[in-house]
Amino acid sequence: MSKITFLGAGSTIFAKNVLGDCMLTPSVDGFEFALFDIDHQRLEDSENMLNNLKTSLGSNVTIRAYTNRKEALRGAKYVVNAIQVGGYEPSTVIDFEIPKKYGLRQTIGDTIGIGGIFRALRTIPVMLDFAKDIEEVCPDAWFLNYTNPMAALTGAMLRYTNVKTVGLCHSVQAAVPKLFEALDLDDEGVQWKIAGINHLAWLLEVSKDGKDLYPEIKKRAAIKQQEKHEDMVRFELMNRFGYYVTESSEHNAEYHPYFIKKNYPELIEKFNIPLDEYPRRCVNQIRDWEKMREEIVNNQNLTHERSHEYASYIIEAMETDQPFRLHGNVLNEGGLISNLPAKAVVEVPSLVDRNGITPCYVGELPEQLAALNRTNINTQLMTIEAAMSGNREHIYQAAMLDPHTAAELSIDDIVSLCDDLIEAHGDMLPEFQKKPTYV
């Protein structure tokens, strides 16, 4: 029996989306869905939910929950990763509240920035443990990573393990439809080209019937900027740098040094930036879960429609040899994007079939876009260096290279902030507890 293993299966809604999609994929008929999570109650919830969904959809997959990770992975053909190490409490709270004491504010904190750095540092060791198990009990499995920070985690897996890994995010496939909806444009028949890095990929071309749509997009965006809306940062970036970026304004506000500045508090209002958005979202989700739980977990009439998440389409393409095109996060080997570093993880068009995932050559990005990507790549690569070396000074350096952190804090304050975060995370970062000795 072929097997899909879902790590972090206690993420019940996401498990419903990804594995519900797989239930609606004929080529997955008869597979085992192996569920693993360290939270046994949430694991049981997901198992119940998926069994109900299986019945209502008439699927003949097998749902099985495991409390032993290695057994969950044994013999898997595909592994879906959706973990969050440290959860909302204590880790996310620490990542947001300690930087506030230094006047450093964040919106999401899961990609780069000080929050992204520390999320990566506590997650990479767990991912490497996964890799050891995979190399032992399912060495041919494809590892489909949905966990953030996408570039740092995927880069660590690709550079330091033998696991076949691709990073998956839904920001690319949602970018053009949401942009056109916001500007009251019809996206039917539109052709587009996107490439860059995760959460900072660029709409390089957009056309319909051979006509470049960027002039009309920029015209409408300029008008829309005269009123408050949720995408003001992205429209400002497009105005200043010439191209639309895939991920949301709430994310991009903290990827650059221009928008969240303690000496310019008026920018928060001007660009409608939702500070502390991720902790607020977590609190709301925790509050609402018990209300939703009965409806989702124990609903024997639960239904599902196939989503735009990539996992089921990848599996379908590999199982049937019917090609599928996606935007995957892969190493920039061979200069897929020729003006970005080779060690970087880039988000580029990729073809999937029985042979696996084949990234497509993009060439050079416009230089201003490559420059913006490189500022984020610097921090990503230095964060991986810190995680793999156990060298505390590399954490300081990753933070010093982060555009937002460096724009706000002095070097001494960055070092002090990192020390406070390392101490607060404690056992989550055991290898970094000893401070370096300076001569």
Side-chain angles (χ1 to χ4, degrees):
M1 181 185 294
S2 294
K3 185 176 183 179
I4 300 170
T5 299
F6 197 112
L7 302 175
S11 179
T12 304
I13 300 299
F14 193 63
K16 175 181 182 291
N17 288 340
V18 170
L19 296 180
D21 287 352
C22 290
M23 288 185 199
L24 295 171
T25 305
S27 56
V28 179
D29 210 34
F31 271 55
E32 177 187 337
F33 291 177
L35 313 179
F36 176 79
D37 200 285
I38 60 173
D39 185 327
H40 292 175
Q41 180 59 59
R42 292 299 296 264
L43 179 63
E44 183 180 335
D45 284 349
S46 291
E47 182 184 21
N48 291 340
M49 177 274 296
L50 287 166
N51 273 312
N52 286 331
L53 192 59
K54 168 188 168 179
T55 300
S56 65
L57 294 178
S59 172
N60 74 341
V61 300
T62 299
I63 311 295
R64 184 176 177 188
Y66 291 78
T67 55
N68 182 298
R69 186 180 71 209
K70 188 177 290 188
E71 291 309 308
L73 287 166
R74 189 175 301 278
K77 199 170 185 179
Y78 307 97
V79 179
V80 178
N81 181 53
I83 63 169
Q84 183 182 356
V85 178
Y88 169 64
E89 288 186 307
S91 294
T92 296
V93 172
I94 291 170
D95 285 345
F96 274 77
E97 292 304 314
I98 290 180
K100 278 185 191 177
K101 297 176 182 178
Y102 289 80
L104 187 65
R105 304 297 301 273
Q106 301 169 91
T107 52
I108 304 294
D110 73 347
T111 303
I112 61 163
I114 203 70
I117 292 168
F118 278 83
R119 182 180 281 229
L121 292 173
R122 60 180 182 265
T123 307
I124 287 174
V126 177
M127 301 269 282
L128 296 179
D129 283 344
F130 290 173
K132 289 177 185 176
D133 285 351
I134 291 168
E135 289 168 355
E136 178 183 345
V137 301
C138 55
D140 295 324
W142 271 95
F143 189 82
L144 311 181
N145 180 47
Y146 277 99
T147 297
N148 285 324
M150 178 63 63
L153 302 185
T154 302
M157 290 291 285
L158 288 169
R159 290 172 56 197
Y160 292 98
T161 81
N162 295 315
V163 177
K164 296 184 292 187
T165 301
V166 64
L168 304 175
C169 180
H170 49 241
S171 62
V172 171
Q173 61 263 48
V176 170
K178 288 188 175 181
L179 171 63
F180 276 53
E181 181 182 3
L183 298 179
D184 197 24
L185 288 166
D186 180 8
D187 69 344
E188 186 175 354
V190 170
Q191 295 180 298
W192 46 265
K193 178 181 177 181
I194 288 175
I197 63 173
N198 181 240
H199 286 189
L200 205 57
W202 305 97
L203 180 59
L204 300 172
E205 299 173 8
V206 56
S207 63
K208 185 173 183 178
D209 299 326
K211 180 182 178 181
D212 181 10
L213 297 181
Y214 251 130
E216 182 64 22
I217 289 170
K218 291 177 179 178
K219 175 184 173 183
R220 295 191 182 210
I223 295 171
K224 193 169 181 64
Q225 285 292 75
Q226 297 173 21
E227 60 188 48
K228 283 284 190 298
H229 59 91
E230 294 182 352
D231 227 1
M232 301 192 77
V233 169
R234 277 205 280 188
F235 283 12
E236 178 70 0
L237 288 170
M238 179 169 62
N239 178 46
R240 301 296 183 174
F241 290 93
Y243 294 84
Y244 188 68
V245 67
T246 50
E247 188 49 84
S248 66
S249 284
E250 63 198 24
H251 276 280
N252 267 277
E254 62 184 9
Y255 299 164
H256 309 280
Y258 315 119
F259 300 105
I260 304 174
K261 303 182 78 66
K262 59 189 174 185
N263 291 332
Y264 299 91
E266 66 274 11
L267 295 176
I268 303 304
E269 174 68 20
K270 179 180 179 180
F271 291 107
N272 201 24
I273 297 170
L275 295 174
D276 297 330
E277 171 62 21
Y278 185 70
R280 184 164 51 248
R281 193 179 296 171
C282 289
V283 169
N284 290 340
Q285 288 174 346
I286 293 167
R287 181 197 63 208
D288 294 342
W289 172 243
E290 284 307 315
K291 299 177 186 177
M292 295 173 56
R293 186 171 178 273
E294 191 64 26
E295 178 185 343
I296 298 295
V297 173
N298 298 316
N299 182 358
Q300 296 185 0
N301 298 311
L302 190 65
T303 60
H304 181 72
E305 294 183 2
R306 198 171 182 184
S307 75
H308 61 222
E309 296 293 353
Y310 280 140
S312 70
Y313 298 95
I314 291 173
I315 294 169
E316 182 175 44
M318 291 186 181
E319 291 295 313
T320 65
D321 205 28
Q322 294 297 311
F324 173 68
R325 177 180 177 271
L326 59 80
H327 279 72
N329 287 272
V330 297
L331 272 184
N332 193 33
E333 292 178 316
L336 296 170
I337 298 180
S338 53
N339 51 350
L340 294 182
K343 290 181 180 179
V345 167
V346 292
E347 195 165 60
V348 295
S350 304
L351 294 179
V352 189
D353 58 19
R354 190 161 284 156
N355 294 314
I357 297 173
T358 305
C360 299
Y361 176 79
V362 173
E364 285 198 357
L365 295 179
E367 196 55 50
Q368 73 274 23
L369 306 185
L372 289 173
N373 282 167
R374 286 191 292 261
T375 65
N376 282 229
I377 289 168
N378 293 336
T379 297
Q380 293 163 359
L381 295 181
M382 206 67 234
T383 300
I384 295 172
E385 194 74 15
M388 299 309 300
S389 68
N391 186 333
R392 188 170 177 144
E393 291 196 47
H394 289 335
I395 301 178
Y396 304 154
Q397 292 156 1
M400 291 173 197
L401 292 169
D402 174 63
H404 175 42
T405 305
E408 291 289 271
L409 303 183
S410 69
I411 286 179
D412 286 343
D413 279 347
I414 290 172
V415 170
S416 179
L417 168 58
C418 290
D419 286 341
D420 288 353
L421 285 164
I422 292 166
E423 181 179 358
H425 280 298
D427 291 343
M428 300 294 288
L429 299 173
E431 66 274 37
F432 295 109
Q433 291 307 310
K434 185 178 179 181
K435 288 187 179 182
T437 302
Y438 295 100
V439 177

